[in-house]
């Protein structure tokens, strides 16, 4: 009975729609496209905020053929985490959604039981094959320097997020029992405030919080996702009912992602400043992720290691009793992205194979030599002037001291972790300095720096002390 | 309740046949006389509890109809402007419930939430009622405090989360603080309202009879505004449960509000519904407790 009513209602609507199409006055139909983004999650920028602000999607939308009479309207919705995006997609209020690896597989799995539509992974936003981006931070005044210091302590992480996966993987790697930490679930907003108030001992979170909280001055990163060596990534999913009806729109969306990537890499400093303006995340933090040699590689191609990582995520969720059978390989649909690459005359397979990021390059103006190894380089961002590359940590620190002596304001300086190659804020790093000052090696972790210092017969210094050494050592 | 009555009838009918009860077995007359006597009791009991029974019966039927409608709407995934396509069905929620029942943490969630509500609500009642009485009696107190409470009152619980974390030393206190805020304002506003409705003639009469301020408070103002205070308490209890999810976002591990929130972050619709229903049932139970208490305190009223 109820069903019959529903059917009748639909048929009435259908008749009305048919009438509307028939009458010449209303020749145009309007299709609303809902896109769920995570503006604050910096590494989804190329699939969300950049496309929205630069109106890239409008540029690539199909206009002829069956689209001649269709007017597209966009409804951009911004969330701080993935699950609300999935909720909106399930309710068909959103057709596209961008989120991190864990929320993505939850999205795919949740859609399995949706009779109207499934969801398919159509593109990747950004990835880190080593798992950088997620991280764990402690209060800067706390006595904790590595994970094992936190045994039995209160650690919060947003459950069901990529950061949650990182924590579980780290514990699994060390054969720690599930109750090694007192693990509680807190959203980034709640966890950040709690950490600032020292209500929790540590907070693990996804991009950009593990960098943002230290940058805001009250936290220190003690664990980076690279130590799990499990890829982490963000991607875009689409509702299949929409994609089947308007495949050209999906292709246009991917073209917009490619364009956003090109825009970002053409001028990363400008991009970081713009993203700060649009999302409120500090440009220095945006740059550490999306800048050259950054902790995230923006690349829309759907690489196998990422899907393998998703399969690991599924297992973790299954072990928690949060998911039943789900096969990520069946959920990937690369037909749209292949089409987009072909239409833009780009080589999809070549980019699929490449896992190269764009790197720091140019001429070191302080030590007067070109950048040799980009992952040994450094950068200094002078307020109002721009970002200059330097060929080594020593040159970076030297240049930093020099610029400071000239009375200029420095926003931030970046160096790379000597062992792991991840980009660091120089003022948060630990420096292993050789006794004869011949070598200065920056590290994220105190224990890595200490190990290296023993090897080179030096000592471990903080940023300020390392800076002094460089100056006095001339 | 109806089913209990029915069962009792069946039991009595069965007893003479088995002859297990020695007092019944020896006398033949009582064996024949018992059913009519019972029927009499039953009729009397029915007559006495007619209105109560009626309410229970209709309530049960309406709940059953609600469940049935929910089942049909989700079973056939009805789309009639409102879309039931992905709303979990009652059986899915029941499945979640059985799973939760096998897990001791679910009881932990419920018990901790009840404790938080109890503390938050009791504190609110202990502070808001006297404050309302004082504000209703003394104009200066009203003039000073009323603007503050009116500014704070509309602020939703969820907006308080970051402030609550910073204000209180432990998270448990932050959570209780948010449930406290939820129930504080309805109680205060209703107490004030009750005070404003106290017949001034009664107050003047008491004053003429030489009553002091304390006695007037105790004998006139307080009893006269009690019905409104209890309305406030009932509403306040409801709002305390409403603010629970916001409050328990802070907790990060326990509480039925947290359970619901976590289910949302893992997109488990059946668990979300289970949490919602659980909060609803607990809210209903606690409101019923307050109403029962109100009847005890105010035997003269018929609320």
């Amino acid at each position: 009975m109820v069903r019959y009513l529903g059917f009748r209602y639909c048929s009435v609507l259908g008749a009305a729609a048919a009438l509307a199409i028939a009458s010449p006055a209303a020749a145009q139909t309007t299709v609303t496209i809902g896109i769920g983004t995570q503006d604050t999650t910096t590494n989804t920028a190329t699939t969300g905020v950049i496309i929205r602000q630069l109106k890239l999607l409008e540029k690539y939308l199909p206009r002829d053929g069956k689209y001649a009479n269709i007017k597209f309207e966009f409804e951009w919705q911004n969330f701080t985490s993935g699950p609300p995006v999935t909720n909106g997609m399930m309710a068909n209020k959103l057709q596209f959604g961008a989120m991190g690896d864990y929320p993505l597989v939850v999205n795919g799995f949740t859609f399995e039981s949706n009779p109207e539509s499934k969801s398919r992974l159509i593109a990747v936003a950004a990835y880190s094959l080593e798992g950088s981006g997620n991280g764990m931070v402690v209060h800067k005044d706390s006595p904790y320097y590595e994970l094992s210091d936190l045994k039995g302590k209160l650690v919060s992480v947003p459950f069901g997020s990529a950061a949650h996966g990182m924590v579980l993987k780290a514990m699994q790697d060390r054969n720690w029992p599930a109750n090694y930490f007192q693990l509680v679930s807190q959203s980034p907003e709640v966890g950040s405030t709690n950490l600032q108030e020292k209500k929790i001992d540590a907070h693990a979170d996804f991009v950009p919080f593990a960098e943002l909280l230290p940058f805001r001055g009250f936290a220190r990163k003690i664990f980076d996702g690279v130590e799990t060596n499990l890829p982490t990534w963000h991607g875009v999913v689409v509702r299949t009912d929409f994609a089947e009806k308007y495949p050209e729109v999906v292709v246009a969306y991917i073209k917009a992602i490619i364009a956003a990537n090109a825009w970002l890499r053409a001028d990363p400093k400008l991009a970081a400043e713009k993203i700060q303006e649009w999302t409120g995340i500090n440009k220095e933090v945006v740059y550490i992720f999306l800048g050259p040699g950054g902790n995230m590689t923006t690349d829309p191609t759907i690489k196998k290691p990422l899907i393998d990582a998703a399969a690991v995520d599924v297992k973790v969720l299954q072990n928690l009793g949060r998911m039943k059978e789900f096969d990520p390989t069946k959920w990937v649909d690369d037909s749209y992205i292949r089409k987009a690459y072909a239409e833009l005359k780009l080589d999809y397979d070549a980019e699929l194979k490449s896992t190269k990021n764009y790197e720091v390059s140019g001429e070191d103006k302080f030590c007067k030599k070109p950048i040799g190894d980009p992952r040994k380089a450094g950068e200094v961002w002078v307020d109002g002037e721009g970002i200059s590359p330097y060929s080594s940590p020593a040159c970076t620190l030297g240049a930093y001291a020099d610029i400071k002596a000239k009375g200029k304001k420095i926003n931030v300086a970046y160096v790379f972790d000597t062992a792991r190659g991840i980009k660091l804020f120089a003022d948060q790093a630990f420096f292993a300095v050789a006794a004869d000052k011949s070598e200065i090696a920056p590290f994220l972790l105190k224990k890595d720096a200490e190990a290296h210092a023993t090897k080179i017969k030096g000592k471990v210094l903080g940023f300020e002390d390392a800076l002094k050494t460089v100056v006095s050592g001339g | 309740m109806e089913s209990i009555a029915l069962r009792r009838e069946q039991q009595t009918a069965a007893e003479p046949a088995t002859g297990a009860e020695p007092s019944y077995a020896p006398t033949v007359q009582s064996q024949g006389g018992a059913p009519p006597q019972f029927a009499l009791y039953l009729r009397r009991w029915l007559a006495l509890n007619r209105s109560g029974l009626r309410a229970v019966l209709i309530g049960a039927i309406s709940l059953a109809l609600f469940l049935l409608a929910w089942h049909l709407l989700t079973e056939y995934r009805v789309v009639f402007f409102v879309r039931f396509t992905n709303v979990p069905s009652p059986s899915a929620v029941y499945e979640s419930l059985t799973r939760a029942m096998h897990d001791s943490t679910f009881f932990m969630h419920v018990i901790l939430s009840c404790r938080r509500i109890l503390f938050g609500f009791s504190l609110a009642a202990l502070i808001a009622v006297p404050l309302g009485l004082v504000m209703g009696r003394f104009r200066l107190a009203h003039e000073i405090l009323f603007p503050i409470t009116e500014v704070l009152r509309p602020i939703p619980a969820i907006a308080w989360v970051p402030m609550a974390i910073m204000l209180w030393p432990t998270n448990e206190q932050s959570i209780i603080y948010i449930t406290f805020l939820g129930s504080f304002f309805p109680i205060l506003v209703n107490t004030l309202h009750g005070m404003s409705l106290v017949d001034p003639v009664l107050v003047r009469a008491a004053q003429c009879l030489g009553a002091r301020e304390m006695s007037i408070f105790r004998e006139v103002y307080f009893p006269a505004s009690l019905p409104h205070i209890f309305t406030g308490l009932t509403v306040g209890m409801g709002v305390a449960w409403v603010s629970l999810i916001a409050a328990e976002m802070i907790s990060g591990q326990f509480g039925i509000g947290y359970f619901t929130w976590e289910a949302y972050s893992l997109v488990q619709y059946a668990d979300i519904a289970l949490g919602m229903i659980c909060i609803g049932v607990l809210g209903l139970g606690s409101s019923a407790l307050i109403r029962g208490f109100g009847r005890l305190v105010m035997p003269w009223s018929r609320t």
Side-chain angles (χ1 to χ4, degrees):
Chain A
M1 225 284 273
V2 186
R3 196 183 195 182
Y4 170 69
L5 269 177
F7 175 71
R8 253 194 47 191
Y9 184 70
C10 284
S11 65
V12 168
L13 261 187
L19 267 177
I21 291 166
S23 62
Q28 271 209 333
T29 42
T30 305
V31 174
T32 308
I33 307 175
I35 305 170
T37 64
Q38 296 181 54
D39 287 359
T40 48
T41 313
T42 310
N43 48 1
T44 64
T46 52
T47 59
V49 63
I50 296 178
I51 297 180
R52 182 180 77 220
Q53 294 294 341
L54 299 181
K55 304 209 183 312
L56 293 173
L57 195 46
E58 284 85 335
K59 202 170 135 192
Y60 292 103
L61 276 180
R63 286 200 174 72
D64 37 9
K66 75 170 181 181
Y67 294 100
N69 289 325
I70 294 180
K71 186 171 163 259
F72 287 106
E73 270 179 10
F74 299 105
E75 200 179 305
W76 296 87
Q77 292 187 22
N78 173 31
F79 301 93
T80 54
S81 64
V85 178
T86 296
N87 206 18
M89 284 180 72
M90 283 289 281
N92 206 7
K93 292 199 172 71
L94 301 172
Q95 282 72 44
F96 293 94
M99 55 194 110
D101 40 18
Y102 271 79
L104 275 175
V105 294
V106 169
N107 176 291
F109 173 71
T110 309
F111 263 95
E112 293 281 288
S113 59
N114 188 331
E116 284 176 335
S117 171
K118 303 288 172 259
S119 83
R120 288 289 175 264
L121 181 77
I122 50 160
V124 169
Y127 67 89
S128 161
L129 282 185
E130 299 82 29
S132 187
N134 302 310
M136 193 188 284
V137 292
V138 294
H139 196 277
K140 69 172 178 0
D141 303 332
S142 73
Y144 314 120
Y145 287 90
E146 50 187 299
L147 277 192
S148 53
D149 293 344
L150 288 164
K151 186 177 180 181
K153 297 280 187 279
L154 191 61
V155 177
S156 84
V157 56
F159 278 14
S161 71
H164 188 203
M166 174 200 73
V167 173
L168 294 173
K169 176 76 169 31
M171 289 165 71
Q172 207 180 322
D173 288 348
R174 288 162 179 72
N175 286 320
W176 288 346
N179 58 2
Y180 192 85
F181 307 121
Q182 270 187 67
L183 213 54
V184 302
S185 172
Q186 281 172 347
S187 61
E189 306 86 321
V190 172
S192 310
T193 320
N194 267 322
L195 189 75
Q196 195 170 4
E197 294 297 315
K198 301 185 189 171
K199 297 268 191 62
I200 50 175
D201 297 298
H203 178 65
D205 217 322
F206 45 83
V207 178
F209 295 94
E211 309 297 338
L212 184 69
L213 303 186
F215 184 78
R216 296 258 162 106
F218 61 84
R220 168 159 48 78
K221 187 156 88 167
I222 61 157
F223 185 80
D224 190 283
V226 285
E227 292 182 65
T228 60
N229 210 19
L230 179 71
T232 182
W233 53 287
H234 283 67
V236 181
V237 279
V238 68
R239 278 178 68 103
T240 50
D241 57 352
F242 179 85
E244 278 152 20
K245 204 165 166 203
Y246 305 110
E248 291 82 0
V249 174
V250 180
V251 172
Y253 186 89
I254 295 170
K255 284 181 189 166
I257 297 175
I258 297 168
N261 256 337
W263 177 79
L264 170 77
R265 292 190 178 192
D267 189 348
K269 174 175 164 280
L270 173 78
E273 284 165 351
K274 281 289 176 193
I275 292 172
Q276 165 172 304
E277 188 186 316
W278 297 328
T279 68
I281 303 294
N282 306 57
K283 56 183 186 288
E284 295 84 357
V285 175
V286 175
Y287 192 81
I288 205 172
F289 286 113
L290 304 180
N295 294 343
M296 285 287 157
T297 309
T298 54
D299 176 348
T301 62
I302 307 171
K303 299 185 199 304
K304 191 166 179 299
L306 305 182
I307 304 309
D308 293 344
V312 175
D313 300 347
V314 170
K315 285 222 178 62
V316 170
L317 287 169
Q318 282 170 341
N319 288 340
L320 288 175
R322 300 297 187 184
M323 191 181 273
K324 298 191 187 83
E325 281 312 304
F326 179 66
D327 182 0
T329 55
K330 290 194 184 123
W331 156 73
V332 174
D333 186 347
D334 63 357
S335 61
Y336 302 104
I337 191 168
R338 281 181 182 279
K339 199 146 179 262
Y341 267 77
E343 284 175 17
L344 291 175
K345 310 231 167 0
L346 297 168
D347 187 348
Y348 181 79
D349 287 301
E351 195 160 339
L352 185 66
K353 274 188 219 115
S354 157
T355 54
K356 280 208 178 69
N357 200 349
Y358 70 129
E359 298 290 346
V360 178
S361 60
E363 186 77 22
D364 180 345
K365 283 183 214 126
F366 184 74
C367 290
K368 314 261 185 270
K369 56 182 176 186
I371 309 292
D373 181 351
R375 296 284 165 141
K376 294 267 182 284
E379 287 176 298
V380 177
W381 190 330
V382 182
D383 192 40
E385 275 187 22
I387 304 166
S388 320
Y390 298 97
S391 55
S392 72
C395 293
T396 311
L397 291 182
Y400 189 101
D402 184 52
I403 295 166
K404 209 171 157 195
K406 284 181 189 151
K408 288 184 190 163
K409 188 172 168 265
I410 296 173
N411 281 344
V412 71
Y414 305 100
V415 287
F416 287 88
D417 185 291
T418 311
R420 300 169 200 276
I422 50 172
K423 207 168 187 176
L424 309 172
F425 290 119
D427 56 356
Q428 308 266 341
F430 294 98
F431 294 85
V433 183
D436 59 355
K437 291 165 192 169
S438 61
E439 186 185 347
I440 294 179
F443 290 93
L444 164 72
L445 300 176
K446 206 175 180 180
K447 66 163 193 221
D448 287 357
E450 278 161 355
H452 193 78
T454 338
K455 211 168 81 190
I456 60 171
K457 298 193 178 56
K459 55 186 173 179
V460 175
L461 296 177
F463 177 66
E464 293 299 332
D465 291 329
L467 212 53
K468 276 182 207 141
T469 325
V470 171
V471 177
S472 62
Chain B
M1 238 182 235
E2 190 214 25
S3 67
I4 295 171
L6 275 176
R7 219 179 303 137
R8 202 185 294 170
E9 193 177 28
Q10 282 163 355
Q11 242 171 24
T12 339
E15 267 158 12
T18 54
E21 205 74 19
S23 61
Y24 280 3
T27 47
V28 187
Q29 286 119 309
S30 80
Q31 216 172 30
Q37 205 181 4
F38 175 76
L40 190 72
Y41 280 134
L42 185 68
R43 221 174 300 136
R44 208 177 285 165
W45 184 80
L46 276 177
L48 269 172
N49 293 289
R50 174 166 288 161
S51 65
L53 271 178
R54 192 188 124 105
V56 169
L57 193 68
I58 294 180
I61 291 172
S62 80
L63 275 178
L65 280 178
F66 175 79
L67 271 178
L68 183 72
W70 176 16
H71 173 74
L72 289 176
L73 287 170
T74 50
E75 178 71 26
Y76 292 100
R77 301 178 189 268
V78 173
V79 177
F80 184 76
F81 190 68
V82 183
R83 297 159 307 159
F84 287 89
T85 328
N86 291 305
V87 174
S89 65
S91 57
V93 176
Y94 182 74
E95 216 174 280
S96 284
L97 178 70
T98 45
R99 212 172 335 110
M101 285 296 176
H102 286 297
D103 192 356
S104 60
T105 52
F106 187 73
F107 292 101
M108 196 78 172
H109 287 309
V110 171
I111 287 165
L112 270 171
S113 289
C114 289
R115 203 183 73 174
R116 285 165 184 159
I117 294 284
L118 180 72
F119 285 157
F121 175 78
S122 311
L123 273 174
L126 287 177
I127 296 173
V129 171
L131 191 68
L133 292 175
V134 169
M135 281 170 73
R137 183 76 184 96
F138 304 107
R139 251 182 77 190
L140 185 66
H142 190 273
E143 283 161 350
I144 293 174
L145 295 170
F146 192 66
I148 302 176
T149 59
E150 281 303 280
V151 169
L152 294 180
R153 193 159 63 94
I155 300 173
I158 199 149
W160 272 105
V161 168
M163 295 299 155
I165 296 173
M166 288 190 280
L167 280 171
W168 299 90
T170 72
N171 276 341
E172 203 58 32
Q173 290 162 347
S174 313
I175 295 168
I176 290 172
Y177 174 66
I178 289 178
T179 54
F180 162 85
L181 281 178
S183 39
F184 181 80
F185 292 109
I187 300 175
L188 182 71
V189 168
N190 276 287
T191 309
L192 274 177
H193 183 62
M195 286 296 280
S196 71
L197 290 183
V198 174
D199 192 345
V201 174
L202 292 177
V203 181
R204 256 177 280 144
Q207 276 167 340
C208 287
L209 292 169
R212 283 161 194 269
E213 193 61 42
M214 231 13 241
S215 327
I216 297 177
F217 245 113
R218 207 174 52 232
E219 306 291 341
V220 182
Y221 275 113
F222 187 60
S225 45
L226 253 188
H228 286 279
I229 292 178
F230 267 92
T231 310
L233 290 176
T234 321
V235 177
M237 181 56 101
V239 183
W241 285 101
V242 169
S243 42
L244 195 68
I245 290 198
E248 290 185 344
M249 270 172 69
I250 304 172
S251 105
Q253 50 185 346
F254 285 119
I256 192 69
Y258 167 73
F259 174 86
T260 314
W261 180 249
E262 194 203 32
Y264 181 31
S265 60
L266 292 160
V267 204
Q268 290 170 322
Y269 293 117
D271 281 350
I272 296 173
L274 175 62
M276 288 165 69
I277 293 171
C278 209
I279 293 174
V281 171
L282 289 169
L284 172 85
S286 49
S287 295
L289 274 180
I290 290 180
R291 240 175 274 131
F293 182 63
R295 238 173 270 153
L296 275 181
V297 178
M298 305 177 292
W300 65 88
S301 78
R302 294 190 61 207
T303 39

